[in-house]
Amino acid sequence: SLPREMPRPRVMKANISDIPVFYLNLTLKNDSIHNKEGTVSESFVELSRFADAVIRKRLEQLPEVAMVDMSGKVLMEIVLIPDWKKLDALSIKLTDFEKALKDQNINLGNLLIRDGRYEYNVRFKSTINNILDIKNIYLKIEGRLFQLKEFAEIIERPRKRAGMVIMNGRDALSMAIIKHSDARMEDLREKLSELIGHFKEDYPNIAFSIAHDQSALLDYSISNVRQSLIWGAFLAFFIMFFFLRDIYSPLLIGIAIPVSVIVSLLFFYIFHISINIISLSGLVLGIGMMIDNSIIVIDNIDQYRKNGYTLHDACTEGTNEVIRPLISSVLTTCAVFIPLIFISGISGALFYDQAMAVAIGLVASLIVSFTLLPVYYRLFYGRKSKRRTANDKRKFQPENMYETGFRLVMRNQGHVWILIVFFMLGTWWLYGELDKRKLPVLERTDTMMYINWNDEIHADENKSRVIQIMQECKDAEYYMALVGRQQFLLGSHKEATTSEARIYIKASSQNQLNNLMTLLREKTIMKFGNASVSFKTAENIFDMLFSDDQPPLMAMLAPVNSTNPANNRLLSGLLDRLEKAGPDMIIRKPAWQEQIVLSVDAEKILAYNVTFDAIYAKLKSAFNQNEILSLHENREIIPVIIGGNERKLREILNTLTVQNKDGKLIPVSTLFTESKDFDLETIHRGKQGEYYPLPLYVNPEKTNAVMKKFKKIVSSDPDFNIAFTGSVFSNKKLFREMITILIISVLLLYFILASQFESLTLPFIVLLEIPIDIFGAFLLLWIFGDSINLMSMIGIVVMSGIIINDSILKIDTINRMYNNGMPLLKSLIIAGKRRLKPIIMTSATTILALAPFLFYHGLGADLQKPLALAIIGGMTIGTLVSLYFVPLLYYWLKRKSGENRTVVNSI
C-alpha cells in the first residue's frame, strides 16, 4: 500500500555513532585526472554502478561487516528536453507531457482471481521500465497519435552532483566499512585484506587503497601488553638477580605473570568484559602491580630462609606475613579506581572497563602470589640442600646505606619537614602552571583540512579549486578530498554545503605535515581571499571518544518570534553589537548563504492571463528540477525529469517564455522582480526551540564577565533571548563529580587502612604521602613540557597505588615489631631494612619498564609518555618518601616519652 516512488526501506545493523573501521577507496588507474568541468567520464560511471552492485555486496557478505556506507557514487537521470517550437506550434502545453508520462506509469497492484478449483494472483505491470519505454509513449493530439520522442530529445545522463570524492586528483569512490558491534577487529581486518587481494587480481584496472585504519590503535594496545610483559619480566629478572643473586626467583616471576594474565582473562570471560582498548590499558596497568606482588612474596620467603627457617616453614610463614598488607594494598588500589565508574557520560562508561580490568588483574595476581608462588618456590629451591643465612657475604649491602640515610634524616628532622612543606607547596604551584587538556599532544602524520570557500559555488567549481590547491602540495604521500555534500548515510560530521570541502592529508613525518599545513593555508587564502581554512586531527576511535568539540562558552540566541521573516537581519545587527562588546575574544559568527528571491507581480499575472502553476512548471523545467516520476533499477532510483541543457540563471530568466490561457507567449522576466537575500546555512533547534549558536572562545576564567556583558546587551533587545552552554559548564560538572569521587576514595582508603593498622591515626601517614608524591609527577611533566591530561592522571593514580602499597607493607612490618615489644627506633630501622629491597625492586622495575617511552616516537609512545612521566616522577620521590619520611611520620605519631627523643639525639 506504500507509494511506488517511495525509496525502499533499509535495515541498519550499526549504531549511528559508530566510526568506520576502514575506508576503502576505489579509483580507475587509466582515468583522466583532469576532466572537463561539470563532466564525469563514462568509465567512472560504470565503476560507480559496478562498485555499488558488486564490490559493496561482496563486502557486506563478510559476517563481521554490519554495513558499507558509500559516497562519491555517480547517480543517473533521464531527461526530456522538449522542442518548444513544435510544442508552441501545436499548442501543446507542458502539462500534456506530464500527464502522458503519469498516465502510462500505472501500477494497479494485484488481483486475486478464482478459476474453477484454482486461484491465481494477477499482477499488472507498469508500461514504463526503461528509457526506450519513455521514448515510445503515445500522445493523442487533435485526433492524431504522436510518440513522445517526436517532440523531445530523451537522454540518460549523470545527475548533477552536489558532492564528490577526489583522491590524488581523480574521481574516487569511498566505502566506509562499519563492523558488527560483536565482531572481532582482527577477524575483520584479516578477511578484508584477503578479499581486497582477490579484488586486485579480479579487477586489475581498479586501484584499491585503505585509509583511516582504526585497527592501528588496537594493534598498539595488544603490542603494548606484549611489550609490558617482556620488559617487566626481563627487568624483574635482572633486578631480582642483582639483589638476590640467584636465578630461581626471576624464573618464578616468569611463571607468575602469564598465569596472572590468563586468570585475568578468565575473569574477563565470567564478567562479560570484552578485550578492547580500554580494558587492555587497564590490564597493562595491572601487570606492573602483578610483578610487585610476586616480588614482595618471594623476597619475604627469602628473608625467612636467611633467618634460619626450613624451606617449608619459610614458604608458609613468609607468605602468611604479607597476606594482610597485600590484601589491603589491593583494596586501596580498587578504592581509587572503582569510584571512577560513577562518573556520568562516556567517561564513566570507559572507566568501568578500565577499573574492572585493574581490579581483576590485582585479584588474579593476589591469588597467584598466595597459592602458586610458594608452591613453585618450594619446588625450585627443594633441590638445594644449602640453607640460606643472613651472613652471606655480598659485595653490595644496600641495608647499610639505608641505615646511614635513616640516621641522617632523624638528625635533621627540621630540614626534612621544611623539604616536605616545599614539596606540597610545589604541588599546588605546578598544578597552576601546567597546561590542562583531555589528551596529550600526539605526533601525527595525517590531518583533516576544512575549507569553506564562502562563495556560492557549485560542487564542480569546488572540485576545481581543491585540485588547484592540492597541486601546490606535491610532498604529500596522498590526499583524499570530500567535496561538497556526501552520500554517507552515517557520519559524525554535519552535512557540508556545496561550497565546503574536507581534505584528508597523509604525510611521511610530523615536520613534513606541519610544513604542508602552513603551505596549504597560505596558498588557499592567497588564491581565494574569501576562503576560511582550519585543520583538525584526522578522525580516529581515540579522538572520537575523548574529543571535546564544544567551545568554552556557547551563547544560544533564541528569537522571541520564530516566524518573523526579518529575524536574519535582526540577528545580524545583534551579532555586530555583541562583537563590539567583546573585542578581546574570538567570535565565530554563523555561516550565511546568499539567496536569489523572485517576487511574483500579481497584477501582471492577472493582466496577462497567466497561471502561477504554468510559470512554476516552466521554471522547474528550465532549471532541471521538474521530476515527473522515478524508475527503479536494481538498488538505484532513476528520476525522470523534464528539463533542458545547462544554462546560466540570467540567460534563463531573459529568454524563458510561458504560454497563457489564450495561447500567447509571455516573457517570464516581465512577471517577476528579482532581489537578493541571505539566510543561515544551518538551522539549530533544541529544547528551548529554534536558536542561533554563537561559539565564544574565551578564557574560562572570564566566562562570568562575558555572560554578564552579553546578557545586558541582549536584554535590551526585545527580539531575542539568550542562554549559555559550553565546556565550561560540563567541566564544572565533571569537576564536582571528581571532587565527590575523590572524597569517597579518600574515605574508603582511610577505613581500609584503619582496619589494617587497627589505628585511627596511622592511615594519615599514607594519605599525607600522596600529595608529596604528586609533586614528583608534576615536576617531571613540567620539565618535559607535557600537560595534565587523561593519560598523566591515570599515571598518577597508578603511581599512588604502587607507592601506597609499599608504605602499607612497611607500616605493617613496623607495627608487628613495635607491638611485639621492640623499641620504637629499632623497629623503624629493622623494618626499613627488611622492606628495603622489595620497595627498591618494585620501583626500579616499574621505572625502567616505562623509561623507553621517553625516547620513542609515534602515536603509541605519545599516548604513553605522559603516563610514564607521571609514574617515573612520582615513584622517584615516592620511593624516598616510603623509605625515610614514612618512618619519620610514624615516629612522630608513636613517640610517648622523652626517652625516644634522647635516643634520637644521641645518634
Side-chain angles (χ1 to χ4, degrees):
S1 61
L2 295 175
R4 185 174 184 274
E5 63 273 11
M6 182 176 178
R8 184 170 182 170
R10 300 186 61 187
V11 178
M12 303 287 180
K13 297 172 286 185
N15 192 314
I16 60 170
S17 63
D18 286 346
I19 182 172
V21 180
F22 305 95
Y23 281 88
L24 178 62
N25 301 317
L26 284 67
T27 56
L28 287 170
K29 294 180 179 179
N30 300 323
D31 201 15
S32 173
I33 292 183
H34 302 290
N35 294 320
K36 184 181 177 182
E37 183 179 325
T39 64
V40 61
S41 65
E42 293 183 6
S43 55
F44 187 77
V45 174
E46 293 299 321
L47 172 65
S48 180
R49 288 180 168 177
F50 174 77
D52 190 38
V54 178
I55 303 295
R56 185 178 192 168
K57 287 184 177 179
R58 290 184 65 179
L59 289 170
E60 289 181 337
Q61 286 172 357
L62 294 176
E64 293 78 14
V65 175
M67 69 170 292
V68 176
D69 208 359
M70 187 173 174
S71 186
K73 185 172 58 172
V74 178
L75 303 175
M76 304 301 291
E77 65 182 4
I78 297 175
V79 184
L80 284 72
I81 305 176
D83 186 335
W84 296 108
K85 292 181 180 180
K86 290 184 179 179
L87 295 180
D88 293 338
L90 296 173
S91 298
I92 301 175
K93 298 179 181 179
L94 191 61
T95 53
D96 296 332
F97 264 78
E98 297 179 5
K99 186 175 183 303
L101 285 168
K102 292 177 180 179
D103 289 345
Q104 294 294 322
N105 188 36
I106 59 173
N107 184 17
L108 300 179
N110 300 338
L111 293 177
L112 196 63
I113 299 176
R114 288 190 176 186
D115 185 9
R117 62 178 67 177
Y118 298 101
E119 189 174 79
Y120 299 98
N121 190 24
V122 179
R123 179 168 60 90
F124 292 89
K125 184 179 179 183
S126 173
T127 58
I128 301 179
N129 295 301
N130 51 49
I131 189 172
L132 185 61
D133 293 336
I134 295 175
K135 290 180 179 181
N136 294 328
I137 289 177
Y138 286 95
L139 290 83
K140 189 173 183 180
I141 302 171
E142 296 181 355
R144 294 180 57 189
L145 291 179
F146 296 92
Q147 285 188 307
L148 200 60
K149 60 186 177 183
E150 297 180 49
F151 297 101
E153 181 185 2
I154 303 171
I155 58 174
E156 184 175 12
R157 68 185 185 189
R159 204 181 307 176
K160 183 171 63 176
R161 295 190 287 178
M164 57 204 73
V165 178
I166 307 298
M167 186 169 178
N168 293 336
R170 289 187 171 90
D171 284 314
L173 300 173
S174 184
M175 295 184 173
I177 300 173
I178 301 173
K179 77 174 188 70
H180 274 295
S181 58
D182 57 348
R184 294 179 67 247
M185 186 88 75
E186 186 66 24
D187 292 342
L188 173 59
R189 185 175 56 184
E190 289 179 0
K191 292 185 179 180
L192 182 63
S193 299
E194 181 181 356
L195 186 57
I196 292 176
H198 293 315
F199 286 161
K200 291 179 178 179
E201 293 179 2
D202 298 339
Y203 317 115
N205 294 328
I206 303 175
F208 297 88
S209 62
I210 289 181
H212 298 264
D213 185 354
Q214 301 300 330
S215 64
L217 279 175
L218 183 63
D219 287 342
Y220 174 74
S221 298
I222 295 174
S223 64
N224 198 11
V225 174
R226 188 184 303 113
Q227 184 179 10
S228 297
L229 286 171
I230 295 173
W231 273 102
F234 173 76
L235 291 171
F237 182 94
F238 173 77
I239 291 172
M240 292 190 70
F241 181 78
F242 178 79
F243 280 98
L244 301 179
R245 290 295 197 274
D246 73 74
I247 199 171
Y248 291 105
S249 296
L251 289 178
L252 289 172
I253 298 291
I255 294 174
I257 294 175
V259 172
S260 298
V261 172
I262 292 171
V263 174
S264 299
L265 295 179
L266 177 62
F267 279 108
F268 274 30
Y269 177 77
I270 294 174
F271 289 105
H272 304 288
I273 298 175
S274 65
I275 298 178
N276 52 63
I277 292 175
I278 306 302
S279 62
L280 280 177
S281 67
L283 194 57
V284 168
L285 297 177
I287 287 174
M289 301 178 189
M290 295 177 188
I291 297 175
D292 297 344
N293 292 339
S294 302
I295 288 175
I296 291 169
V297 172
I298 293 172
D299 179 77
N300 210 50
I301 295 173
D302 193 66
Q303 289 190 27
Y304 269 90
R305 289 188 64 210
K306 285 189 282 186
N307 290 332
Y309 282 75
T310 64
L311 181 59
H312 176 81
D313 292 340
C315 291
T316 304
E317 297 298 327
T319 304
N320 286 334
E321 186 180 33
V322 295
I323 285 179
R324 285 186 62 194
L326 285 183
I327 291 176
S328 296
S329 300
V330 171
L331 292 177
T332 53
T333 305
C334 292
V336 176
F337 272 96
I338 296 299
L340 295 175
I341 67 177
F342 297 104
I343 297 177
S344 62
I346 186 66
S347 300
L350 294 174
F351 275 123
Y352 174 81
D353 273 16
Q354 188 174 68
M356 290 298 293
V358 171
I360 287 173
L362 289 176
V363 171
S365 172
L366 202 62
I367 294 172
V368 172
S369 298
F370 292 161
T371 58
L372 193 66
L373 271 182
V375 173
Y376 275 92
Y377 189 99
R378 190 178 187 283
L379 290 175
F380 280 11
Y381 287 96
R383 303 174 184 177
K384 299 176 66 176
S385 58
K386 182 181 177 181
R387 179 177 297 178
R388 286 198 160 190
T389 64
N391 297 321
D392 290 344
K393 291 184 179 181
R394 302 189 182 170
K395 296 180 181 180
F396 180 62
Q397 292 288 345
E399 292 85 355
N400 296 333
M401 295 178 61
Y402 169 76
E403 185 173 350
T404 303
F406 177 75
R407 292 177 183 275
L408 181 64
V409 168
M410 298 300 289
R411 289 195 191 102
N412 299 277
Q413 295 181 34
H415 295 87
V416 173
W417 282 109
I418 292 173
L419 185 63
I420 294 302
V421 172
F422 171 78
F423 283 170
M424 299 188 72
L425 292 176
T427 302
W428 181 263
W429 180 79
L430 287 171
Y431 177 79
E433 288 294 313
L434 289 169
D435 291 335
K436 286 86 175 174
R437 58 176 73 236
K438 273 197 173 182
L439 290 178
V441 177
L442 305 178
E443 180 179 345
R444 297 182 179 274
T445 58
D446 58 354
T447 188
M448 189 70 77
M449 179 181 180
Y450 292 81
I451 303 177
N452 189 332
W453 302 108
N454 291 318
D455 286 328
E456 297 302 317
I457 61 174
H458 51 72
D460 294 310
E461 173 62 21
N462 194 343
K463 170 188 174 183
S464 176
R465 293 186 180 188
V466 168
I467 293 176
Q468 288 182 55
I469 294 301
M470 295 310 298
Q471 282 178 345
E472 303 287 343
C473 177
K474 298 180 181 179
D475 294 333
E477 290 188 6
Y478 72 88
Y479 75 90
M480 182 183 73
L482 302 175
V483 177
R485 297 190 182 97
Q486 297 302 307
Q487 298 164 342
F488 292 122
L489 295 174
L490 307 180
S492 57
H493 298 280
K494 74 176 185 67
E495 185 176 351
T497 64
T498 55
S499 61
E500 293 178 298
R502 303 197 310 268
I503 308 174
Y504 174 76
I505 304 169
K506 174 71 174 175
S508 58
S509 66
Q510 175 74 60
N511 290 333
Q512 187 189 57
L513 182 64
N514 292 336
N515 294 334
L516 288 174
M517 290 166 62
T518 303
L519 176 64
L520 289 172
R521 187 189 300 274
E522 293 175 353
K523 293 292 183 182
T524 303
I525 296 176
M526 184 177 65
K527 283 195 171 187
F528 308 97
N530 292 334
S532 60
V533 180
S534 62
F535 292 91
K536 292 185 180 180
T537 55
E539 187 180 60
N540 60 47
I541 296 173
F542 205 85
D543 290 325
M544 187 174 182
L545 290 176
F546 295 103
S547 64
D548 188 2
D549 293 333
Q550 276 191 318
L553 193 64
M554 174 79 79
M556 297 182 292
L557 303 172
V560 174
N561 184 7
S562 60
T563 60
N564 186 358
N567 275 343
N568 291 334
R569 299 192 181 278
L570 295 173
L571 175 64
S572 182
L574 177 59
L575 292 177
D576 291 337
R577 294 196 297 274
L578 292 175
E579 189 172 25
K580 292 177 182 178
D584 56 340
M585 71 181 75
I586 301 174
I587 298 179
R588 294 184 181 176
K589 294 184 179 181
W592 300 95
Q593 61 182 2
E594 190 179 33
Q595 296 177 339
I596 296 175
V597 180
L598 298 178
S599 301
V600 179
D601 191 332
E603 183 180 356
K604 288 185 178 180
I605 286 181
L606 290 174
Y608 288 114
N609 202 17
V610 179
T611 63
F612 184 80
D613 289 341
I615 298 173
Y616 184 61
K618 201 69 178 286
L619 285 172
K620 282 202 304 181
S621 298
F623 291 115
N624 293 312
Q625 298 292 318
N626 191 9
E627 182 177 336
I628 306 302
L629 55 91
S630 299
L631 301 184
H632 295 253
E633 184 176 337
N634 295 325
R635 296 170 58 166
E636 186 176 355
I637 298 175
I638 303 176
V640 180
I641 64 175
I642 297 178
N645 296 319
E646 292 288 339
R647 291 186 294 169
K648 293 183 178 180
L649 172 65
R650 178 52 49 196
E651 180 185 355
I652 292 174
L653 294 179
N654 290 337
T655 60
L656 194 65
T657 60
V658 61
Q659 197 174 58
N660 66 2
K661 295 179 180 180
D662 301 326
K664 295 180 180 180
L665 298 178
I666 308 298
V668 171
S669 58
T670 62
L671 305 175
F672 288 95
T673 56
E674 181 184 344
S675 62
K676 290 187 177 181
D677 200 357
F678 61 96
D679 200 354
L680 291 167
E681 282 189 357
T682 307
I683 298 175
H684 297 263
R685 189 174 181 86
K687 293 181 179 179
Q688 71 277 22
E690 184 178 320
Y691 69 93
Y692 309 114
L694 186 64
L696 304 173
Y697 294 87
V698 299
N699 189 326
E701 297 177 357
K702 299 180 180 179
T703 53
N704 289 331
V706 172
M707 287 191 294
K708 185 177 180 181
K709 187 185 296 184
F710 275 40
K711 285 180 180 178
K712 183 177 179 181
I713 296 173
V714 177
S715 63
S716 62
D717 192 324
D719 299 305
F720 291 93
N721 295 321
I722 190 169
F724 293 95
T725 184
S727 61
V728 171
F729 297 96
S730 59
N731 289 342
K732 285 182 179 179
K733 179 184 177 182
L734 181 62
F735 181 75
R736 289 194 297 268
E737 291 180 349
M738 291 296 292
I739 292 296
T740 304
I741 288 170
L742 178 62
I743 294 173
I744 294 173
S745 299
V746 170
L747 290 175
L748 287 174
L749 283 173
Y750 178 81
F751 291 131
I752 293 169
L753 295 174
S755 174
Q756 164 67 24
F757 299 144
E758 298 179 355
S759 169
L760 298 177
T761 56
L762 288 179
F764 288 106
I765 298 177
V766 176
L767 296 178
L768 184 61
E769 180 184 3
I770 295 176
I772 302 172
D773 298 341
I774 292 176
F775 169 78
F778 285 172
L779 180 63
L780 209 59
L781 289 170
W782 181 70
I783 292 173
F784 279 82
D786 221 306
S787 62
I788 298 175
N789 51 63
L790 181 69
M791 301 305 294
S792 59
M793 291 302 294
I794 292 175
I796 290 173
V797 171
V798 174
M799 174 272 301
S800 301
I802 297 174
I803 292 300
I804 285 176
N805 295 347
D806 292 337
S807 298
I808 290 172
L809 191 66
K810 187 165 187 174
I811 294 173
D812 181 79
T813 306
I814 296 173
N815 263 345
R816 285 175 181 270
M817 295 180 175
Y818 184 70
N819 293 334
N820 288 334
M822 187 178 292
L824 177 59
L825 188 61
K826 187 175 181 181
S827 299
L828 296 175
I829 293 175
I830 294 178
K833 288 182 177 181
R834 285 196 60 189
R835 297 307 170 204
L836 175 65
K837 287 188 291 185
I839 291 175
I840 294 177
M841 284 190 289
T842 55
S843 299
T845 52
T846 304
I847 291 173
L848 293 177
L850 293 172
F853 288 115
L854 305 183
F855 308 100
Y856 291 161
H857 295 283
L859 176 62
D862 290 340
L863 283 174
Q864 295 295 334
K865 187 177 179 180
L867 182 144
L869 288 172
I871 293 179
I872 292 173
M875 291 199 67
T876 302
I877 298 292
T879 302
L880 297 175
V881 170
S882 295
L883 291 176
Y884 298 110
F885 183 62
V886 167
L888 178 61
L889 278 177
Y890 191 95
Y891 168 77
W892 275 74
L893 289 174
K894 285 292 186 179
R895 62 182 182 170
K896 298 177 180 178
S897 64
E899 180 184 354
N900 292 325
R901 183 182 296 275
T902 303
V903 174
V904 173
N905 291 335
S906 67
I907 295 176

